[in-house]
Amino acid sequence: MDAKQGRKLDFSPILVPLLSIVVALEFGGILVLVQGINPLLAYEVLFTTAFGSFDGIAITLAKATPLILSGLAVAICLRAGLFNIGAQGQLISGALASAWAGYTFVGLPALVHVPLALIFGAFFGALVALVAGVLKAYRGVHEVITTIMLNSIVIALSDYLTSNPFKEPDQPLTRTPKIQDSAQMPDLLGLPLGFFLAIGLSITLWWIMKNTTTGFSIETIGRNKNAGWYAGISVKKTVMLSMLIGGAVAGVAGAVETLSIVGRFEPAFNAGLGFDGITVAFLGRANPLGVIPAAILIGGMRASASTVQFEAGAAPELVDLLLAMILFFVTAPLLAKFFKNRKESVAMTSGWSN
Amino acid sequence: MNTLLEIEGVSKRFGAVIANENISLTVKGGEILALLGENGAGKSTLVKAVFGLVRPDSGTIKIDGIVMESSDTAAAIARGVGMVHQHFQLVPVMSVTENLILGDEPKRFGVLNIKRARAEVLSLSEKYGLEVDPDAIIEDLPVGMAQRVEILKALRRDVKLLILDEPTAVLTPQETDELLEVLRNLAKRGVGILFITHKLREVMAVADRIAVLRDGKLMGTTTPKESSESKLAQMMVGREVVLRVEKGPGKPKEVLLAVRNLKVIDDRKLEAVRDLSLEVHAGEILGIAGVEGNGQRELVEAICSMRPRSSGEVMVKGQVIPNLSPRAAHLAGVSHIPEDREKHGLVTSYSIADNLVLNRFDQAPFANGWIRNLEKVANNGEALVEKFDIRAPNASLSADSLSGGNKQKVVVARELSQQLDVVVASQPTRGIDVGSIEFIHNQLISARDAGAAVLLVSAELDEILSLADRIAVISNGKIVATFGSKEADRNTIGRLMAGLAS
C-alpha cells in the first residue's frame, strides 16, 4: 500500500525518437520552403530514393552498415555512463589498420584474410579507446576530453602514415595501396556482408547486456557507480572494458568500410561516420538493437542527399541539418532528465568531475 | 534590545516525518541563541524556514516585526538575514574578493571595478576584525578561513540576523575557538545570531540563551547559567523509548569481527578513526553510539573495505580482509547495510529483483559462470519480497517505485538473506516509517540469534539502547567507553557522546 502503484507503460523509448524525427522534419521543411522549394517534394524524393526500391534499400543498408557499428560503439559506452565522442578516431584507426592488413598480407585465402583484417581493425580501434579508458579509470580524466583529443591525434597520425610509410608508391595521392582481392568483403544476397556482421554484433551485444554478468556490471556502473563499488564491481575494470568494447566495435566499422566500400585507406573517406554514430546512439536510446533502425534511417538520408539536390533542388546540406536537429531534439529530453535528476543519471554520462 | 526574529507556532512535516511541531522562538539583536539538538531533531528545517528555503505548513515567521512570506529567500536577505551553510557556497577557484562580491559586484560604467571591490573587502574585514587575504584563492584556504569568507559574505549585506548551520562541524578545536570569538564580537555590534550545534561545550561557552529541540519539538529554552552540560545532554537525548524491541538475552560466542588499531582518513584528509579497536562476538549486537561525524562512517566503510585503512587491520573469522575490496569483504562474510541506501545500497532504476542480488549477481545460483540466471534472480526476488514484507506487487518493478522504508527493506533483505557471519548495519532505520523500523529491528535480532556478529551504528541512541547487547561510545574517532546493555545509562552515554568525560 505504500508502494507507489499503477505501473504506467513507458512509451518514451520509442515516442521520443519518433517525435524528434517529426519535429526535425517540420523545422527542416520550413527551411526548405524558405529556399522556395516544396518541402513535401523534397521529402518525397528523400524517402522514395532511400526506401522506395530494392536498389535504393540496398544502398541505404550499405550506408547504414558503418553507422550501426559506430552507433553501437557510442551506445555501449553510454550504458556504462561514458560519453564516447571518439568513435570517429577509433573508426579511422580501425580503417587504417585493416587496410594495412588488407594490402600487406599476400596469398591468404579470403576466409582467413577478411577476418584477420577485421581483427586488425577491431584491435586498433580498441587500442585508441583504451587510452581514454585507462585515463578515466586511473586518473579520473573525463572521457569527453580525452576521446576528442584522441580523434585529433588519430587523424593527424593517419595522415602522416598514409603520406609516408603506408603510402601507395608512385602515386601522387595520399592513400594506401589497394587491399588484396582476398581481403575484399563480398556481398551476400545483394547486400554487403558487413551489414550482416553489424546486425550480428548488435544482437550479440544486446544479448550480452541482457544476460551476462559483464553486461550487468556495465549497466550497474552506468546507473549508479557508487552502488557498483559497494556491490563489489570493479569500477576501473568495467570502465576500461566498456571503452575497449566500444573502440573495438568502432574499429570494425572502419574496417568494414575499408574492406567492402573503399578498398584502401584514404584520409578523406570515413569522414563523419563516427560522429553520426553519436546521433544513431541517442536516436536508438543507447539500446544495441535500437541503433539498427536509427542507423537505417540516417543511412537512408545520407544515401539520398544528392538525389534530393538533383530532383528537388534542395541543398544536400539539408540532410546534415536534419540530422543535427534530430540529435538536438532527441537529446533535449534526456538532458532535461539528466539535470533534473542528477543524483542518479540513467544511461547518460557521468558528471565532469570524476 | 529589539526583537529581531519571532518564530510563532511553526510546524513542518515531510511525509510521515514531523520535522517541526509548533515551535516558537525569538532572537533579539545582539543575542546569541544556540539551537541544540540531535541529528534529525529539526534544527536545520527550522532555520531553513527562517531563511525562506523551506515553506512551513503552519505558523508565522516575523523579521523585525514584519511577517515573512514563506519560501522567499530574496525577501529574507533583503530583511537582513544571512546564512552560513554547513556546505560552503563558495567558488573554489576564485579569489576571496571575487567570492565576496559575487551577485552584487561594484561596477564602473557597467564594468566590474575590482579595485573598489578589493578595498571594500579590506575595510569590511577590518570593521569586523575578521582578517582575510583578499587575493587568496578559496581552494587554497583552510576550512576555518573559508568559513570566515562565508561569514563576511553575509556581513557585507548588512546582516542583522546571522544563521550558522553547524558551523563548527568542519572546524578544528582552534578554529572553533576563533569562530566563537568572532560570534561574540558580532553580537556586541548588535547582530542577532542563531547558531546550530550539537556540541555542548560550544553552547556553554558562547550562547546567551539555549533552545533545545528533540524530535521536532522545542523541549525548552534555558541559559548557560541556569543549566549544565549534563542537564543539556539529558534534554537532548533523554526522550522516552518509543519502540520497544522484544528480545532475549544475547548468547555471545567466539569473536567473528575484530578491528585492530584501525586508522582511517576521511574525505577532508583528516584522521577520522584514530587507533580504534573493537571485537564483536557471534550472537551479539555491538552498538556504536555517538554523535554523527565522529568517525562512524569511516569506521564502517573501512570494515567493509570501501575506504582505505591507513593502518590497522580488520579480521573476519580470523581472516584478514584486504584493503579496498568490497567484494573480498563480502565473500569473507560481511553483510553491509549502508548508511546511504540511495547512494550505495540500491540502483533505484533497477528492478527490485536485480537489487536483491546486487552484490552476488555473478555467483551461483544467480549466474552460471558468465551467464546470468534471470529465472533464479526473479524467483529469489519474489521469495524475498514475500519473506521480508516488501510492499510491492511484484519484484520486477523498479526500486524507484518503493517508499523509503520498503527500499530499506530491499537492502536488508539482500544483506540478511545470505550466509550470516558479520552484519554491519549503519543507520539502518534512518528516515523510514515506524512499521519498517520495527521490522528491521526484528530482523537484526534474528540475525543475532542465528549466530551473526552484528555491529550496529546509529545516531539514534534509543535504537542502540533497545537493540545492543553491548554499547561502545565513539567520540572523535575513538571508542571512549564500553558498557553492557544493563549497566548502560542514558545520561552517561549522552555525556560521553558529547565529548565530556564521564
Side-chain angles (χ1 to χ4, degrees):
Chain A
M1 110 194 178
D2 30 7
K4 277 177 243 154
Q5 287 198 8
R7 198 177 164 198
K8 270 181 260 163
L9 271 178
D10 189 9
F11 288 110
S12 63
I14 296 166
L15 206 59
V16 170
L18 279 183
L19 266 177
S20 49
I21 292 165
V22 170
V23 175
L25 288 177
E26 282 171 10
F27 275 95
I30 294 170
L31 291 168
V32 173
L33 202 61
V34 169
Q35 294 182 333
I37 297 158
N38 180 359
L40 291 178
L41 175 68
Y43 287 151
E44 196 195 322
V45 172
L46 186 71
F47 287 101
T48 48
T49 311
F51 304 106
S53 65
F54 186 81
D55 285 352
I57 291 174
I59 294 169
T60 293
L61 295 186
K63 284 270 183 195
T65 300
L67 297 180
I68 295 174
L69 292 165
S70 63
L72 208 52
V74 179
I76 288 297
C77 293
L78 277 179
R79 292 244 86 101
L82 301 165
F83 196 0
N84 177 14
I85 300 191
Q88 183 66 29
Q90 295 145 23
L91 186 147
I92 288 173
S93 174
L96 178 56
S98 66
W100 184 84
Y103 71 76
T104 303
F105 299 114
V106 184
L108 296 173
L111 220 55
V112 176
H113 203 173
V114 169
L116 182 74
L118 285 172
I119 289 169
F120 260 78
F123 180 82
F124 281 92
L127 200 66
V128 172
L130 188 63
V131 174
V134 169
L135 285 170
K136 170 84 177 184
Y138 287 95
R139 308 296 318 159
V141 188
H142 202 283
E143 72 281 358
V144 167
I145 309 288
T146 49
T147 51
I148 286 181
M149 290 183 173
L150 281 165
N151 280 344
S152 303
I153 291 172
V154 169
I155 288 167
L157 199 63
S158 65
D159 279 352
Y160 165 76
L161 290 172
T162 34
S163 51
N164 293 290
F166 296 170
K167 188 174 178 301
E168 183 173 26
D170 312 321
Q171 281 284 335
L173 295 169
T174 304
R175 63 183 198 190
T176 68
K178 195 167 174 3
I179 57 169
Q180 310 290 332
D181 286 348
S182 56
Q184 181 76 40
M185 279 178 92
D187 284 2
L188 190 70
L189 310 168
L191 290 170
L193 187 62
F195 178 72
F196 298 100
L197 179 67
I199 299 286
L201 269 175
S202 291
I203 294 173
T204 307
L205 281 173
W206 169 79
W207 184 85
I208 285 176
M209 290 306 293
K210 189 170 177 289
N211 289 297
T212 70
T213 56
T214 306
F216 190 78
S217 299
I218 291 174
E219 192 83 40
T220 302
I221 68 149
R223 289 172 187 241
N224 184 349
K225 198 168 48 180
N226 293 314
W229 169 236
Y230 158 88
I233 295 168
S234 168
V235 177
K236 288 190 172 74
K237 270 189 211 157
T238 313
V239 162
M240 290 189 290
L241 180 69
S242 313
M243 287 304 290
L244 201 70
I245 296 173
V249 174
V252 171
V256 167
E257 276 298 277
T258 296
L259 304 178
S260 61
I261 310 285
V262 189
R264 53 160 51 91
F265 183 80
E266 282 194 63
F269 281 68
N270 309 316
L273 286 176
F275 291 117
D276 275 351
I278 297 170
T279 311
V280 170
F282 277 104
L283 197 58
R285 283 283 172 152
N287 181 321
L289 293 183
V291 299
I292 297 172
I296 290 174
L297 177 80
I298 291 172
M301 290 165 73
R302 286 267 183 242
S304 51
S306 49
T307 317
V308 173
Q309 186 181 20
F310 283 128
E311 294 191 8
E317 286 77 16
L318 172 65
V319 167
D320 281 323
L321 197 74
L322 287 174
L323 291 183
M325 284 195 293
I326 289 173
L327 179 62
F328 178 81
F329 289 119
V330 85
T331 50
L334 280 178
L335 286 174
K337 198 172 166 190
F338 176 57
F339 284 112
K340 208 179 83 188
N341 195 8
R342 294 188 88 151
K343 241 179 26 185
E344 191 187 338
S345 57
V346 181
M348 278 294 297
T349 62
S350 53
W352 286 92
S353 63
N354 196 28
Chain B
M1 279 274 192
N2 58 320
T3 302
L4 263 180
L5 170 70
E6 278 182 88
I7 300 171
E8 283 172 13
V10 164
S11 297
K12 175 74 191 172
R13 289 170 149 267
F14 294 105
V17 181
I18 299 168
N20 289 155
E21 192 178 339
N22 197 21
I23 292 178
S24 299
L25 274 179
T26 59
V27 180
K28 295 193 177 76
E31 178 185 54
I32 302 180
L33 176 72
L35 200 50
L36 188 67
E38 279 191 298
N39 278 307
K43 300 167 300 202
S44 287
T45 307
L46 186 65
V47 295
K48 278 181 185 160
V50 173
F51 196 56
L53 288 168
V54 161
R55 180 193 293 268
D57 298 331
S58 60
T60 55
I61 292 165
K62 285 189 206 165
I63 294 168
D64 257 351
I66 293 166
V67 177
M68 300 305 293
E69 289 299 319
S70 40
S71 296
D72 190 354
T73 314
I77 292 172
R79 301 292 315 160
V81 181
M83 183 153 175
V84 176
H85 295 267
Q86 205 171 351
H87 303 283
F88 299 152
Q89 320 279 307
L90 298 171
V91 186
V93 294
M94 286 166 84
S95 75
V96 169
T97 302
E98 285 164 333
N99 267 284
L100 279 169
I101 59 171
L102 207 62
D104 182 20
E105 302 87 355
K107 293 189 191 99
R108 196 159 169 253
F109 309 122
V111 180
L112 176 65
N113 188 344
I114 196 77
K115 257 190 195 161
R116 212 178 89 204
R118 196 172 173 279
E120 220 179 274
V121 170
L122 282 173
S123 75
L124 192 70
S125 124
E126 199 172 325
K127 180 176 166 195
Y128 290 102
L130 286 168
E131 213 175 291
V132 287
D133 172 4
D135 305 317
I137 303 299
I138 295 292
E139 63 186 357
D140 300 337
L141 293 178
V143 182
M145 207 43 97
Q147 188 178 55
R148 194 168 276 196
V149 177
E150 275 282 345
I151 295 171
L152 279 171
K153 213 167 94 184
L155 293 174
R156 182 164 174 268
R157 300 182 190 229
D158 287 326
V159 288
K160 295 180 198 150
L161 176 69
L162 183 63
I163 301 171
L164 300 106
D165 188 357
E166 301 216 15
T168 59
V170 291
L171 300 183
T172 64
Q174 292 77 10
E175 287 174 328
T176 301
D177 289 339
E178 282 173 34
L179 174 70
L180 297 183
E181 191 54 40
V182 167
L183 296 184
R184 275 188 212 106
N185 286 332
L186 288 177
K188 271 185 205 146
R189 293 175 160 273
V191 178
I193 292 171
L194 185 54
F195 166 56
I196 295 190
T197 184
H198 47 226
K199 294 182 188 161
L200 299 170
R201 184 184 73 88
E202 297 161 10
V203 172
M204 296 301 283
V206 79
D208 295 311
R209 283 193 303 133
I210 304 162
V212 182
L213 285 189
R214 195 163 84 200
D215 291 338
K217 295 188 201 80
L218 183 64
M219 300 316 294
T221 42
T222 175
T223 65
K225 281 202 187 91
E226 292 165 11
S227 190
S228 68
E229 294 186 357
S230 62
K231 269 191 196 160
L232 288 175
Q234 199 180 343
M235 277 174 91
M236 223 168 108
V237 299
R239 86 201 117 186
E240 295 303 306
V241 179
V242 188
L243 297 159
R244 286 240 168 253
V245 182
E246 296 293 326
K247 61 163 184 159
K251 298 183 190 78
K253 298 192 189 77
E254 75 279 14
V255 172
L256 284 186
L257 171 67
V259 174
R260 300 265 156 80
N261 304 102
L262 185 66
K263 289 185 181 170
V264 188
I265 306 293
D266 68 11
D267 293 337
R268 292 179 290 138
K269 310 238 183 326
L270 300 174
E271 195 162 273
V273 176
R274 305 170 175 203
D275 203 17
L276 183 148
S277 299
L278 59 80
E279 287 184 343
V280 192
H281 299 256
E284 76 164 352
I285 298 179
L286 174 67
I288 304 279
V291 173
E292 237 178 312
N294 274 281
Q296 295 96 318
R297 173 181 301 165
E298 290 76 13
L299 170 65
V300 166
E301 290 185 353
I303 290 176
C304 300
S305 282
M306 289 174 67
R307 181 182 284 276
R309 309 169 190 120
S310 41
S311 72
E313 58 191 16
V314 172
M315 295 200 287
V316 172
K317 293 188 284 184
Q319 177 197 345
V320 175
I321 305 297
N323 217 352
L324 275 187
S325 171
R327 169 57 49 101
H330 177 248
L331 290 177
V334 178
S335 297
H336 176 200
I337 299 168
E339 174 180 336
D340 189 337
R341 59 181 165 266
E342 308 258 336
K343 183 177 176 193
H344 288 119
L346 296 168
V347 178
T348 50
S349 56
Y350 270 166
S351 70
I352 296 167
D354 274 342
N355 273 297
L356 284 167
V357 296
L358 198 60
N359 54 13
R360 44 184 184 275
F361 66 93
D362 54 355
Q363 290 156 34
F366 305 118
N368 311 320
W370 191 47
I371 314 289
R372 298 183 70 207
N373 188 334
L374 295 176
E375 200 187 321
K376 285 268 165 40
V377 171
N379 292 343
N380 174 70
E382 296 301 337
L384 291 182
V385 161
E386 174 84 32
K387 187 177 167 205
F388 284 82
D389 192 30
I390 297 162
R391 306 281 169 84
N394 62 68
S396 63
L397 284 178
S398 99
D400 248 340
S401 62
L402 298 175
S403 69
N406 281 298
K407 278 183 187 152
Q408 185 71 349
K409 282 189 203 164
V410 172
V411 176
V412 169
R414 179 181 66 223
E415 296 306 314
L416 299 186
S417 61
Q418 57 193 347
Q419 169 63 31
L420 287 171
D421 292 313
V422 171
V423 177
V424 179
S426 187
Q427 318 290 357
T429 59
R430 169 170 293 167
I432 64 178
D433 59 293
V434 178
S436 301
I437 290 176
E438 197 182 354
F439 185 85
I440 288 169
H441 282 174
N442 287 329
Q443 290 297 326
L444 290 173
I445 301 278
S446 25
R448 178 200 74 168
D449 292 343
V454 181
L455 182 71
L456 170 68
V457 176
S458 176
E460 302 287 339
L461 186 52
D462 279 323
E463 183 161 61
I464 301 273
L465 287 171
S466 55
L467 287 178
D469 300 304
R470 278 193 306 137
I471 297 164
V473 183
I474 192 170
S475 175
N476 212 359
K478 286 182 180 149
I479 302 289
V480 290
T482 311
F483 303 93
S485 65
K486 295 220 171 61
E487 58 203 75
D489 163 67
R490 183 185 298 273
N491 293 336
T492 315
I493 292 177
R495 285 171 56 84
L496 286 165
M497 279 168 64
L500 306 168
S502 53

